[in-house]
Amino acid sequence: IQQQQEAAAERDDLADYDDVDDAVYQTRLERHQEQLELKRQQQQGPIEGGSQDAAAASPAAADAGAESADVVFDGGFRVPGTIWAQLFDYQRTGVKWLWELHNQRAGGIMGDE
């Protein structure tokens, strides 16, 4: 697992972040999903017998799964729970506000220091 983490860290170069190029974006998305899977595996630890689900194997893993439930707004906008959990309250307020503006077909600008 450590080798996989090191390989993922090496690939995670900021110069590769170009969402204008769809192929680069898809590659970055795949890398992100791989990193999430590695984190899940680390949190769950080894499962004896290999047939138990994560919640039964580890109460901590079940709690982590409950915390990372996706947030869905009216109109179908979905924020992955893993991202929502990392946002500060003011950032969550900003996401909600921008989504409200989008639903009203209005524009808006958000700034930070």
Side-chain angles (χ1 to χ4, degrees):
I1 293 179
Q2 184 177 0
Q3 290 175 341
Q4 291 174 342
Q5 289 174 332
E6 290 172 3
E10 289 175 16
R11 291 185 306 220
D12 212 11
D13 182 3
L14 290 177
D16 292 336
Y17 290 177
D18 181 4
D19 289 345
V20 173
D21 184 342
D22 192 49
V24 172
Y25 170 73
Q26 291 299 326
T27 301
R28 191 165 62 87
L29 183 60
E30 290 170 10
R31 289 178 189 164
H32 176 70
Q33 290 170 339
E34 290 171 4
Q35 291 172 350
L36 287 177
E37 183 59 31
L38 284 173
K39 284 183 180 181
R40 282 189 203 108
Q41 289 174 1
Q42 290 172 348
Q43 289 175 348
Q44 293 172 358
I47 299 174
E48 294 180 21
S51 62
Q52 296 176 326
D53 71 10
S58 167
D63 290 343
E67 291 175 358
S68 63
D70 291 355
V71 176
V72 182
F73 294 94
D74 291 339
F77 179 59
R78 179 181 305 269
V79 178
T82 54
I83 294 174
W84 189 257
Q86 295 178 25
L87 296 178
F88 293 105
D89 287 339
Y90 73 92
Q91 292 171 317
R92 291 177 180 180
T93 300
V95 170
K96 292 175 189 176
W97 179 70
L98 287 171
W99 180 245
E100 289 173 14
L101 290 177
H102 173 79
N103 285 325
Q104 297 168 11
R105 299 189 185 276
I109 298 175
M110 184 175 292
D112 199 358
E113 308 180 31

